Amino acid sequence: MPQRMLKFTSIDTLMPDKRDATARNEDFDEIYQGYSVDGAEEQASRCSQCGIPFCQVHCPVANNIPDWLKLTAEGRLEEAYEISAATNNLPEVCGRICPQDRLCEGNCVLEQSGHGSVTIGSVEKYITDTAWERGWVKPPTPAFELGQSVGIVGAGPAGFAAAEQLRRRGYEIHIYDRYDRAGGLMMYGIPNFKLEKDIIERRANLLTDGGITFHLNFEVGRDASFAELHRRHDAILIATGVYKDRDVQMLGSGLDGIFPAMDYLTASNRKGLGDKVPAFDDGTLDARDRDVLVIGGGDTAMDCVRTAVRQGAKSVRCVYRRDRENMPGSRREVTHAEEEGVEFVWLASPEAYLGDREVTSVRFQRIHLGVPDVTGRQTPEPIEGSSFSIDADLVIKALGFDPEDIPSMFDQPDLEVTRWGTLQVDHRNLMTSMDGVYAAGDIVRGASLVVWAIYDGRLVAEAIHHRLEAEARTEFNTAVPAE
Ligand SMILES: Cc1cc2nc3c(=O)[nH]c(=O)nc-3n(C[C@H](O)[C@H](O)[C@H](O)COP(=O)(O)OP(=O)(O)OC[C@H]3O[C@@H](n4cnc5c(N)ncnc54)[C@H](O)[C@@H]3O)c2cc1C
Ligand code: SF4
């Protein structure tokens, strides 16, 4: 049973009718194709129920994979869904965009023995999509209201997961987000060919149906001070993600035609959502008929090159300073990009952007991988006199993300950060250096994965609940009985 149905093999097959960033074409869709009932059952029945669930151990939310595969194989889909949803607030998202080759599937015993992993992600997607179709997915409506409220800053996966877990327990939940739509990077970072945006909107609507209030276009530090929010709620969760683009300043940095990855991806995602995006419509952020060069080797870089292919770029190249074996991104993503006609240039580091007013090419230096550093990774060392140039009229910098300066943005100098700028939390209770203020997701972990943000959101929800429950008990015990 093929796991996906990518039908094209090179950039030449991407015909003009498919070159619209707004187009939705099934042949063109990375998103795992839905199984038929038979297909899902057949795939799930391949699980050997091996007794040592390496897949589960390597799933960040410890999904009970063998059990839901067994139930799927037996056609007991509702039970399979319930088990899968018990550990994961967004299984339909994880089924689509987890890097399964590094997590569950990469550790499947069948994969290790050369028989090809059970396609766990696709089955997870199938189970959850079926659950949505059949109305088994219910809003997080609590049995009773506790009368305490939690303010969550950030409507990404960490915020979603924490909100749902806390709402189920009966807390009043308010989520504040500076974007106009909920979902964080699931909405505006991850391209829509990997993750359909209506999937995220459907989840946000479910949370609203459960009584959670979203305050969108609401930037904490601009539309309300953090101190005000802190006064408004019994506990606060900061789940703001990491958004500061890493950059290398070099000759020609000010030329037109050079953009950070998030600007490029956000424009494309907004276009796909039907928004007016002047910078896309006037061609500035549209790769159509351009020579695109992406600098970086992570998953964001892969998303950029593959978006450029879909927009109908003349050529798409990705330059990374290490080699294929040392790329931080998923191997599977690289393979897909190559299948789609992206050219990779390994072991090269940018030296200068060239051009008059607009960039026309980028000069690189060849790299030799030297001795491993303290992290065990070989250090890239430039080779003298090895410069070469690559033509490009659209350059996208995908060099990673750092945290914004949250203490300054929130005017809270007491909010402690690590040396990487992520928020410092006490790992025993997930509280920041401020009493009653918690943090979760990328803003604690650094740029990571949706599934880890979900894990963090669930964990921090438990920590907040323990604290608020204890506070309520103390209040009850010390309350003076009415005469
Ligand atoms: C291009 C790209 C592709 C990716 N692809 C994948 C993938 O395929 N698979 C995968 O698992 N992971 C992927 N990731 C990583 C994943 O998206 C993140 O790890 C995850 O979204 C982090 O979740 P979060 O809730 O911590 O933060 P985010 O998703 O970043 O959400 C944070 C939210 O906080 C809001 N916010 C920030 N500051 C404020 C403020 N002051 N006031 C109000 N709101 C604020 C933001 O608007 C945002 O909505 C990708 C990331 C990028 C950038
Ligand atoms: S959540 Fe991710 S790692 Fe876990 S089973 Fe699903 S796809 Fe695999």
Side-chain angles (χ1 to χ4, degrees):
M1 172 59 58
Q3 187 177 352
R4 60 179 74 216
M5 295 178 177
L6 284 174
K7 293 186 185 154
F8 47 89
T9 51
S10 86
I11 199 165
D12 301 332
T13 61
L14 302 178
M15 300 313 291
D17 61 324
K18 297 176 184 172
R19 288 179 172 192
D20 182 351
T22 62
R24 298 248 334 125
N25 183 307
E26 292 305 313
D27 291 357
F28 208 38
D29 220 333
E30 161 83 3
I31 293 156
Y32 287 23
Q33 305 297 312
Y35 279 120
S36 63
V37 180
D38 291 348
E41 286 177 11
E42 186 194 315
Q43 186 56 231
S45 67
R46 292 184 61 235
C47 174
S48 62
Q49 299 288 319
C50 55
I52 311 164
F54 290 114
C55 54
Q56 181 171 8
V57 172
H58 288 88
C59 166
V61 288
N63 271 341
N64 196 339
I65 301 162
D67 278 10
W68 50 254
L69 286 177
K70 188 165 189 293
L71 289 164
T72 305
E74 291 168 2
R76 294 159 64 186
L77 281 185
E78 189 165 2
E79 291 158 271
Y81 163 70
E82 274 164 15
I83 292 185
S84 132
T87 47
N88 191 349
N89 301 76
L90 296 159
E92 70 278 33
V93 174
C94 293
R96 284 166 168 83
I97 52 108
C98 265
Q100 286 101 5
D101 56 337
R102 305 204 297 255
L103 301 171
C104 53
E105 292 179 16
N107 291 281
C108 171
V109 170
L110 293 183
E111 178 73 15
Q112 302 295 332
S113 59
H115 292 90
S117 166
V118 175
T119 57
I120 297 166
S122 298
V123 177
E124 186 177 32
K125 168 190 179 295
Y126 172 75
I127 296 169
T128 324
D129 286 353
T130 308
W132 277 99
E133 273 163 37
R134 303 203 186 159
W136 302 334
V137 185
K138 298 280 186 274
T141 318
F144 48 85
E145 300 288 343
L146 291 171
Q148 291 159 295
S149 79
V150 181
I152 298 177
V153 190
F160 268 34
E164 180 171 359
Q165 295 301 104
L166 287 163
R167 182 65 194 141
R168 285 195 190 286
R169 290 197 177 273
Y171 296 100
E172 182 186 323
I173 306 296
H174 292 262
I175 307 185
Y176 304 89
D177 201 292
R178 63 184 172 190
Y179 281 149
D180 54 345
R181 292 184 177 91
L185 288 174
M186 297 186 294
M187 182 59 77
Y188 288 130
I190 302 174
N192 47 14
F193 66 86
K194 280 168 67 178
L195 179 61
E196 314 96 304
K197 304 307 169 189
D198 51 353
I199 296 282
I200 309 303
E201 281 165 354
R202 189 173 63 179
R203 270 287 164 187
N205 291 340
L206 190 85
L207 297 184
T208 307
D209 292 346
I212 291 167
T213 308
F214 283 94
H215 304 262
L216 298 175
N217 289 313
F218 190 113
E219 182 167 338
V220 177
R222 182 194 68 189
D223 299 303
S225 69
F226 182 80
E228 196 180 322
L229 235 58
H230 199 192
R231 279 194 297 275
R232 222 183 267 177
H233 299 288
D234 296 287
I236 292 279
L237 169 62
I238 304 176
T240 45
V242 290
Y243 284 87
K244 197 166 91 191
D245 299 288
R246 283 192 196 139
D247 203 358
V248 275
Q249 282 305 317
M250 53 192 190
L251 189 74
S253 286
L255 292 174
D256 288 348
I258 306 167
F259 299 97
M262 266 308 279
D263 288 10
Y264 175 66
L265 292 172
T266 305
S268 176
N269 274 322
R270 280 198 178 281
K271 203 63 204 156
L273 282 155
D275 291 358
K276 266 201 164 340
V277 186
F280 184 93
D281 297 334
D282 68 13
T284 310
L285 287 172
D286 184 357
R288 182 187 292 258
D289 297 331
R290 290 166 85 179
D291 291 311
V292 179
L293 199 149
V294 176
I295 304 173
D299 286 337
T300 301
M302 295 311 109
D303 287 342
C304 292
V305 292
R306 301 186 68 203
T307 300
V309 166
R310 281 156 180 77
Q311 289 175 353
K314 207 187 318 164
S315 69
V316 186
R317 292 191 180 85
C318 178
V319 186
Y320 180 53
R321 62 188 180 142
R322 290 191 164 89
D323 56 11
R324 177 193 282 269
E325 284 63 45
N326 288 289
M327 275 184 92
S330 157
R331 300 280 159 87
R332 196 156 69 181
E333 291 279 309
V334 179
T335 308
H336 292 322
E338 281 177 328
E339 281 171 2
E340 292 166 21
V342 174
E343 187 188 321
F344 284 86
V345 180
W346 312 106
L347 295 166
S349 178
E351 258 187 338
Y353 301 112
L354 307 175
D356 279 341
R357 204 172 58 82
E358 300 197 344
V359 68
T360 51
S361 65
V362 183
R363 196 171 69 224
F364 291 90
Q365 228 180 351
R366 293 268 173 220
I367 293 290
H368 158 77
L369 288 181
V371 286
D373 62 14
V374 279
T375 65
R377 295 185 85 195
Q378 287 176 280
T379 319
E381 291 165 3
I383 302 171
E384 281 300 313
S386 64
S387 296
F388 66 101
S389 298
I390 299 178
D391 288 347
D393 52 5
L394 176 58
V395 176
I396 302 166
K397 297 178 287 184
L399 302 166
F401 302 94
D402 285 320
E404 292 162 286
D405 183 357
I406 299 284
S408 301
M409 281 166 60
F410 288 0
D411 194 20
Q412 298 295 326
D414 291 343
L415 209 46
E416 281 176 22
V417 295
T418 65
R419 65 191 163 111
W420 298 279
T422 49
L423 288 181
Q424 180 87 56
V425 293
D426 179 337
H427 287 280
R428 289 165 304 181
N429 58 15
L430 306 179
M431 209 187 294
T432 64
S433 50
M434 288 179 70
D435 192 46
V437 178
Y438 295 76
D442 280 5
I443 192 57
V444 175
R445 202 177 265 284
S448 180
L449 294 174
V450 165
V451 66
W452 279 114
I454 295 168
Y455 169 82
D456 293 346
R458 295 173 68 88
L459 212 61
V460 81
E462 274 311 285
I464 293 172
H465 167 61
H466 285 310
R467 154 85 176 223
L468 295 185
E469 191 185 35
E471 272 180 10
R473 210 176 294 135
T474 311
E475 223 168 86
F476 178 77
N477 288 340
T478 54
V480 183
E483 288 294 314

